[in-house]
Amino acid sequence: MQTNNWEKNRLHYHYTHDVNNSFGMVLEHEDDADRQNLNGQWNHLFARSNTRTSQANLYLKSQLGIAKKGERHTPNTEVGLAGDWETRRFFTSYAVTGRYANGIDDGSFHQKGRVGVAPYVAGYGALHTWLMLQLEHHPESLNDDEKVILTPLVRLFKGDFLVELGINNNGGPLLNWTAKF
Amino acid sequence: MKYVNVILIIVSVSSPNVWSNSVETSNSVEIITAHVKGMVCDFCARGLEKVFKIEKAVFSISVNLDDSVVSIRIKPDKNLPDKRIKELILKNGYSVEKITRSEAKSETKT
């Protein structure tokens, strides 16, 4: 999985151990902050609701690793809660994440929400299209323009490959892709 | 007599039993239909296809998101118990509403 947006470039390899637990490695580069993070990640699904027409999930996401800024290296931790609810037509998600890297940042948190709608309901194996709106809140950002970011995006997937393309209210691009093996 | 022999040869050669060695067999194939809850995302349902395909008893699998069903075609003389089907579906994070079994005729002509 790779995500690229106004804030960071992120490469993410994940192994799903079982339905409740997945483990991964995350490599991040934050251009503006001149910061790199290399973290191990554990995602834990602690609640799921299945109905005939919907699915809802709650996750605990945690990361532990090393942050590098300039010549300085320090332990880096991230903890987050994420939830989503979707049908074949509608999608919503919310995530709140806090992180701390001693001496590089004194703790920060951000939150992100998404709503989406599928303009058509595609069958299994067909090309699926979602139109989404992503809202991010970075209260500690030094740049006022980056405290709240709104990104309209298109999500496309077919088979084991998913791609997201968007552009935010500051003109910053978003390009995410995920491949399943 | 010569003409009679020629006629007999023509009749015997044109008989379908001489040329045709076709054998018709009729086997019944078991189709299992699992009604699944939570299967709303194509990208997420890919895992179901993968885990069922590696089961030795499974000939083929098809996923229908419209009806929330997974249809599993079982190989002749093989069996896939309900317990195993539920295990595989739960392992992928879905819930099983019910499982039904039916038989379809499979005709083979050689």
Side-chain angles (χ1 to χ4, degrees), chain A residues 18-19 48-55 86-88 121-126 128 130 157-162 178-181, chain B residues 35-50 62-69 90-95 97:
Chain A
D18 56 63
V19 66
R48 170 166 282 174
S49 166
N50 288 322
T51 74
R52 271 190 79 89
T53 55
S54 70
Q55 186 180 73
E86 67 180 302
T87 67
R88 294 185 69 203
V121 175
Y124 188 73
H128 292 247
W130 286 83
F157 61 86
K158 182 172 168 59
D160 287 323
F161 193 76
L162 179 151
T178 304
K180 280 187 178 180
F181 302 102
Chain B
H35 296 255
V36 179
K37 289 201 288 187
M39 198 171 64
V40 293
C41 166
D42 179 309
F43 196 63
C44 314
R46 295 275 138 192
L48 275 177
E49 209 177 320
K50 286 173 186 166
S62 70
V63 175
N64 184 331
L65 296 176
D66 294 331
D67 299 326
S68 296
V69 297
L90 290 174
K91 194 176 163 185
N92 274 271
Y94 302 112
S95 315
E97 198 172 20

Side-chain angles (χ1 to χ4, degrees), chain A residues 166-177:
Chain A
I167 190 157
N168 69 28
N169 56 322
N170 294 326
L174 175 145
L175 169 61
N176 302 333
W177 63 264

Side-chain angles (χ1 to χ4, degrees), chain A residues 142-156:
Chain A
L142 298 174
N143 187 342
D144 282 347
D145 289 345
E146 292 175 352
K147 285 186 186 298
V148 176
I149 304 276
L150 188 65
T151 311
L153 62 107
V154 178
R155 172 187 279 185
L156 302 165

